[in-house]
Structure formats: C-alpha cells, structure tokens
Amino acid sequence: MRRVLRPLLRNRLTLGGFVGLLGLVLVAVTAPWWVPFPEHGGAARNLAHRLQPPDSTYWFGTDDLGRDIFSRVLLGTAISLRTGALVVAVAAGLGVTLGAVAGYAGGLLDEAIMRVTDAFLAIPSLVLALAIGSALGPSLTNALLAIALVWWPWYARLVRAQVLSIREQEYVAAARSLGSGAGRILYRHILPNAMAPILVQASLDFGYVILTAASLGFLGLGAQPPTPEWGLMVSVGRKFFPKWWWVATFPGLAIFVAVLCFNLAGDGLRELSDPRLRKLDGQANKEV
Amino acid sequence: MLDYTLRRIAFLALVLFVVTTITFSLAYLVPGDPARLVAGDKASQEQVEVVRIRLGLDRPIPVQYAMYLGRLLRGDLGRSLHSNRPVLEDIRDFFSATFELTTLAMGLTVVIGIPLGVLSAVRRGSLVDHASRLFSLAGVSLPVFWLGLLLQLAFGMALGLPIAGRVSSRVLMDAPLQTVTGMYLIDSLLTRNWAVFRSAATHIVLPMVTLALPSLVLVTRMVRSSLLEVLVQDYIRTARAYGFPERVIMFKYALKNAMLATLTLIGLAYGYLLGGSFLVEAVFAWPGLGRYAASSIILSDYPAIMGVTLLVTLAYGLVNLAVDLCYAWIDPRVKLR
C-alpha cells in the first residue's frame, strides 16, 4: 500500500487533485447543513436582493431571483458528483459486459459487437448525446442516459483487450478443466484481474462526464430550473453577462475546479498504473 | 493501398448506417405525432390521416426505415417540420459557417500545439514542462462555453474585438458579399472585398481561440509523450553519436515518427471541435449548425436534428478517413493490418 501511495503523493499536482476531490465529496455530502441560504437551492425568491454583486453576505453575489449563488454552487456539487458516478457506473457496466462477452466468446459475436463499438466511437459523442437527449426530452435523468449511451464503447474496447490476454492464462485453463462455466470464469477469474485499467479509465472519465453533463445543461437539455446544476446556472447567467458577470462566472469556475481535480487525480493514477510510462519518463530524464 | 482505402470507406458506410439506425429509432421516442405536427394544430383528424399516408407514416416501421434509407441515398434528408423546406437546403448555409470555424480552429491547434509539444519534450522535467502539464490538464477541464464568456469579458471588452456573429451587418450592407463557398473569409478574399474580410476576420478570432484551446492542449500533450517515446530509441542515439545537431535530430528524425500517434489524435480532435462548436456557437451567436440544431431541438423538429447528426458524423468520418489514409501513406506497415 505504501509503495502505491508514495509516488502518488510525491507528485504535488496529483496530490492536489486528491485533496481537491476529498474537499468536493465533503462539500457534496455536508453542504445542505451549513451553506448560508440552504433554501436558495430551489425555487426560492428574494427579489429585493436580485443581481447583487459579491459582498460579505452574498459571497458570490445573487442571481436574477435574488438567490445566493455561493449556496447554489455548493449545493450543486452533489448533483455533479452524482451525475458523474451514475454515468460512469452505467457506461462501465454496459461496456464491461459487452467487451467481456466479445473477448471471451470470440468469433462472429466478437466481430459484431466490436464493429458496432467502433461505429459508436466514430460518432462525435456530444452530438450523439444531443440527438438522444432531444429525443428523450430535456431532463437531468435523460441527459444521464444519453451520456451513458455514448460512453460505453470505450469500456467495451478496453475490457475486450484485457479479456483476450487474460483468457489464455493457465489459471483460466485450470478453472475450465475443473468444469467452470463461461459466466463463472468471466466473473470470478477474468474480470477481477482486468479491473485495474477499468478503474483508471473510470477515474479519468469522471471529469469528462461532469463536463459533458454541464454542456447539456448549458444547451438546455440537462437539468431544468430551479435545479442548482452548474451548466444550467452558467446558461442562465449568460443572459446577464457581462454587466452582472458573477451570475455565470462562479458556477463555471465550479465546473472547472471539479473537473480539474478529477483530471489531476486520474492522470496521476494513469501514470502510476502504466509502468512503461514510468520507466520511459525515467530514461528520458537521463538521456535528454 | 486501394484495398485499404476500400476497407476504410466500407467502415464509414457502416458508421453512417449505425447513426441512421440510432436516430431513426429515437424518432419513435419523440413525444407527439409527427403527422399532426406537419398538418398543424387546426387540421381535422381526416387531414392528419391524409398527411400520415402522404408521409408514409402508416406503413410498418421496417418499411418506413427502408424508405428513409432509400431517400438518404438520393441525398434527401427529409423536410424540416418547422420551415417545411428540405433539411439539406436549410443546413447548407449553416454548415459553411461551422466548417469555416472548425477548420480554422483545427489549423490553430496544429500550428501552436505541435511546436509547444516539442518544446515541452525537449525541456522535460523543467519548469516549462511542469507548467505545460498543469496547463494541458487545465485546458481539457475548462467548460468551453464558460471560457468563451471569459474571453468575451477579457478581450471583447478590453480590446474591442466583436463578441457575436460572423460579420458586422453594417459592413455587409455597405459592401455586399458575393457568395462563392459560403465561407466569408474565403469569399471575401476571392472577390477582394477587404472591408468584409477585415470584419469577418476580427469576428472569428474569439470563437476560434475558444474552440481550439481544449484540442490544442491535447495535441501538445500527445506530441510531448510520443516524442519522448521516440527519443529513447536506438536510432536517435546513433544519430547523436554521429554528432548531428540537436535540431536536425529533433525535427528530421524524431518528430516524423512521433507524428504518427499525433495524426490519429488530430482526427479524433476534430470530433471534439465539431461537438464543441455547438457550445461555442451558442456563446458567440455564430450562425452555424449548432445554432440550427439548438433551435431545432427547441422546436422538436426531429428531421432537422437527424439531418444535423448525420451530416456531422459524415464530416467527422471523412476527416478521419483522410487521416487514416495519410497515416497509411506515411507508415506503409498500416496497410498490412
């Protein structure tokens, strides 16, 4: 454990990412109890104080309905983290299942699944998510579904490659000769050994999913008012931009910070999990 | 090479088939009755039924799908429920605006991203390199729609760069632009309409920079890592031993091999640009496909949405086809796979 943790923590940027993530989770879980105006997370109105610039009461200013943007941004953390977790879980679930079946079964089934996977990968993901989202109708749940539906192929491809190499291992042959069925071999013997790259991929995806969900929210296809979803808040704030710049600026900053934390942490994990990359960096250091 | 090209084209056809299948099945999830939408609110039930039969909506779904594919093959993307014009005609003007924006953003990505990646690799471990890691991770974490707003605030207000539209309407009124390609910069150059050219050029700066930034940092990162991978190879050490200048080694021997992976990424980055353009167009009131799609979504004009999705996928597919062919041309081993 220490051997894994030490290089991870030695890199300041990676460390910063993990600390930031911890902070985000803490805020997401505890925000409803301590933000200055918890009722402003919903449709509350406070018209006497609409569009107030940041001051000591309203740290990030107020929006067009007089709601405290600081409270709304913090309350929105839970929405974004939940979005990321749900999409990654659904996409990884779907992708891992299809990829594992393709890799283990081989032959025509493998060929069919992988061609469809490739075709999905060849469609610009935001555009496809938009088409799916617009057919399903604008809501946060539908946006989640739309993103998950364009995200699974990456996992399918990754898992298939893993399964292909692991299924030739001797312990798999041993399990087979003991009479284990295909399902048992896949879930008990192959997949647990293929998990590491999947987890790294998931950690990297988290940030992108949050970004995509915010983009759909910005285009009006994600969360609907009065949800304090960051992308939606930027979209509303755009109408008051640049004169009342704070309405759009702070939710946007929140998206940026959250995604950056996930990317820093994910990038650190990826470098750690790829020994080739680590060694290469070391060598290049010596030679260049 | 011919065999490889044909295989790639067959794959593009498969991609388009999958897209049409997805969008066609989704069309059945759209709430509301399309025949009623076309006939209008005031139409009687009989009139709606007449429209239904005219549009072929009373046939079994597989037959409708086959008819739809048949029409697509003839270049008929259907009629917009809103404007009642052929979708292809609706899209044409918007497409050239998006194409102009994404192509310039792609150019910026390549022109700045590659030298920056080389610099980062050469100075590995230095402050420049660490800054570049943070810079690139920050770049891909930025919501482009928010970045656009910030740039509007910083450069639009301070430098007076225009923050909305493709060209100033006053300039266009004084010096009308003859349409040749639909791309304002090229058209104004061809017709020597300098006033419009200047106006169009200043209008495109901010959207282009906004759109290019995320893909620019991706390319920088990719050039850096593939260059580092190449620099530890034996043939580079041999070249060093021969005493070639570092510049020659870098650009003549190393970069050429490092470009292979970068080329693939550039193809992928075009997809980011196309998706990103939908957001950037919303921020900068750029009259492109994204704006058209956004208004179609609000009007639940599904034929238009299907048309845009298909066209964007086709554009992305063609760019990647070109990239793959370049790749095969640079690295002959690819063809054998």
Side-chain angles (χ1 to χ4, degrees):
Chain A
M1 194 65 188
R2 187 179 286 170
R3 227 184 51 218
V4 176
L5 276 181
R6 195 180 291 155
L8 209 57
L9 298 182
R10 206 172 44 205
N11 189 319
R12 293 230 181 98
L13 289 179
T14 308
L15 179 65
F18 275 104
V19 171
L21 282 190
L22 199 64
L24 281 174
V25 172
L26 277 179
V27 168
V29 175
T30 61
W33 284 282
W34 56 267
V35 293
F37 300 94
E39 71 279 9
H40 286 187
R45 274 156 196 267
N46 176 21
L47 292 176
H49 290 127
R50 65 192 299 257
L51 297 172
Q52 297 268 318
D55 60 24
S56 56
T57 320
Y58 304 112
W59 290 4
F60 290 175
T62 62
D63 64 8
D64 53 321
L65 296 176
R67 294 173 298 194
D68 176 39
I69 294 175
F70 180 68
S71 303
R72 284 175 67 75
V73 164
L74 293 195
L75 291 170
T77 313
I79 298 176
S80 285
L81 292 193
R82 205 162 43 219
T83 305
L86 280 173
V87 170
V88 169
V90 173
L94 198 61
V96 167
T97 311
L98 285 172
V101 168
Y104 193 74
L108 209 60
L109 190 60
D110 177 29
E111 197 55 35
I113 293 178
M114 289 327 286
R115 285 299 81 76
V116 173
T117 305
D118 287 344
F120 260 89
L121 286 175
I123 307 170
S125 57
L126 185 64
V127 178
L128 184 58
L130 274 175
I132 297 175
S134 61
L136 299 177
S139 83
L140 187 58
T141 319
N142 288 345
L144 293 186
L145 203 60
I147 302 171
L149 281 178
V150 301
W151 227 277
W152 65 266
W154 295 102
Y155 291 94
R157 207 186 234 188
L158 190 67
V159 170
R160 175 178 174 271
Q162 289 285 314
V163 170
L164 277 184
S165 72
I166 295 175
R167 74 167 185 193
E168 305 303 332
Q169 300 279 330
E170 277 171 13
Y171 62 82
V172 174
R176 200 175 295 132
S177 64
L178 285 173
S180 301
R184 186 184 165 83
I185 292 178
L186 260 179
Y187 281 94
R188 293 297 292 271
H189 300 285
I190 296 185
L191 280 182
N193 288 297
M195 278 323 273
I198 299 170
L199 288 177
V200 172
Q201 180 68 36
S203 70
L204 278 168
D205 275 352
F206 230 93
Y208 291 114
V209 167
I210 291 177
L211 204 54
T212 310
S215 306
L216 287 182
F218 177 78
L219 290 172
L221 275 176
Q224 297 298 309
T227 318
E229 196 272 326
W230 294 336
L232 176 66
M233 287 167 76
V234 175
S235 163
V236 171
R238 199 168 80 80
K239 294 178 204 135
F240 304 99
F241 203 82
K243 192 169 175 202
W244 296 282
W245 53 270
W246 55 88
V247 186
T249 302
F250 290 109
L253 189 64
I255 302 173
F256 172 57
V257 170
V259 177
L260 182 61
C261 287
F262 276 108
N263 280 343
L264 285 173
D267 196 53
L269 277 183
R270 185 181 54 90
E271 261 182 39
L272 192 77
S273 73
D274 188 349
R276 201 177 53 103
L277 209 65
R278 253 187 303 170
K279 191 162 148 248
L280 206 74
D281 268 11
Q283 275 184 9
N285 244 336
K286 267 177 252 149
E287 295 210 5
V288 176
Chain B
M1 190 73 189
L2 184 69
D3 183 42
Y4 179 74
T5 313
L6 287 178
R7 253 186 307 162
R8 299 300 308 163
I9 291 175
F11 177 65
L12 182 56
L14 173 74
V15 170
L16 293 175
F17 178 73
V18 169
V19 170
T20 52
T21 312
I22 297 171
T23 50
F24 187 83
S25 354
L26 284 172
Y28 280 89
L29 294 174
V30 180
D33 176 2
R36 165 63 70 185
L37 259 169
V38 171
D41 287 340
K42 297 195 185 76
S44 68
Q45 195 56 42
E46 287 87 57
Q47 283 169 315
V48 172
E49 291 313 316
V50 170
V51 170
R52 195 186 309 283
I53 291 168
R54 181 163 59 83
L55 295 177
L57 294 171
D58 56 332
R59 307 269 197 95
I61 289 175
V63 175
Q64 285 188 42
Y65 183 50
M67 282 163 56
Y68 171 65
L69 285 184
R71 284 196 302 272
L72 281 183
L73 286 178
R74 292 195 299 272
D76 176 7
L77 293 182
R79 265 171 192 281
S80 154
L81 298 181
H82 177 65
S83 70
N84 203 25
R85 295 195 325 153
V87 169
L88 198 62
E89 248 174 62
D90 262 3
I91 286 179
R92 199 174 296 145
D93 304 336
F94 295 107
F95 183 76
S96 52
T98 296
F99 188 69
E100 186 172 37
L101 181 61
T102 46
T103 308
L104 279 177
M106 191 82 254
L108 193 69
T109 301
V110 170
V111 168
I112 297 185
I114 293 176
L116 216 57
V118 173
L119 193 69
S120 185
V122 173
R123 302 261 175 87
R124 216 214 98 75
S126 74
L127 200 64
V128 179
D129 184 44
H130 283 302
S132 120
R133 180 174 173 223
L134 185 63
F135 174 68
S136 56
L137 284 174
V140 291
S141 308
L142 273 172
V144 286
F145 47 92
W146 184 67
L147 174 69
L149 289 177
L150 294 188
L151 291 181
Q152 285 185 348
L153 193 63
F155 295 99
M157 304 298 141
L159 296 182
L161 279 174
I163 58 171
R166 285 179 85 182
V167 69
S168 146
S169 52
R170 199 176 324 139
V171 171
L172 207 56
M173 215 156 6
D174 290 343
L177 181 65
Q178 221 181 319
T179 306
V180 185
T181 59
M183 282 174 276
Y184 285 6
L185 284 173
I186 294 181
D187 287 359
S188 57
L189 266 183
L190 287 177
T191 56
R192 306 227 171 101
N193 190 340
W194 303 122
V196 170
F197 181 76
R198 210 172 308 125
S199 174
T202 51
H203 274 80
I204 209 170
V205 171
L206 287 183
M208 173 181 75
V209 172
T210 309
L211 185 57
L213 199 78
S215 48
L216 195 156
V217 295
L218 277 179
V219 167
T220 304
R221 213 59 203 162
M222 187 53 134
V223 170
R224 173 189 175 274
S225 63
S226 37
L227 202 53
L228 283 179
E229 222 162 294
V230 172
L231 283 175
V232 294
Q233 304 275 330
D234 287 343
Y235 75 92
I236 296 288
R237 193 171 50 197
T238 309
R240 283 225 172 84
Y242 273 112
F244 287 139
E246 199 63 20
R247 190 165 32 87
V248 172
I249 293 173
M250 195 58 87
F251 288 99
K252 194 157 177 212
Y253 294 100
L255 192 59
K256 210 183 266 178
N257 282 297
M259 277 311 289
L260 285 174
T262 311
L263 202 59
T264 313
L265 183 76
I266 287 174
L268 290 175
Y270 197 71
Y272 275 105
L273 289 180
L274 282 169
S277 71
F278 279 44
L279 299 163
V280 172
E281 285 175 9
V283 174
F284 288 94
W286 191 263
L289 274 185
R291 289 291 296 290
Y292 181 69
S295 64
S296 308
I297 287 169
I298 292 166
L299 298 163
S300 44
D301 186 349
Y302 209 72
I305 299 169
M306 284 164 95
V308 171
T309 312
L310 188 62
L311 218 65
V312 168
T313 308
L314 179 66
Y316 183 47
L318 286 177
V319 167
N320 276 293
L321 179 67
V323 165
D324 283 344
L325 294 184
C326 278
Y327 201 124
W329 178 61
I330 296 175
D331 185 352
R333 286 171 306 177
V334 175
K335 272 175 277 179
L336 301 176
R337 263 191 254 138

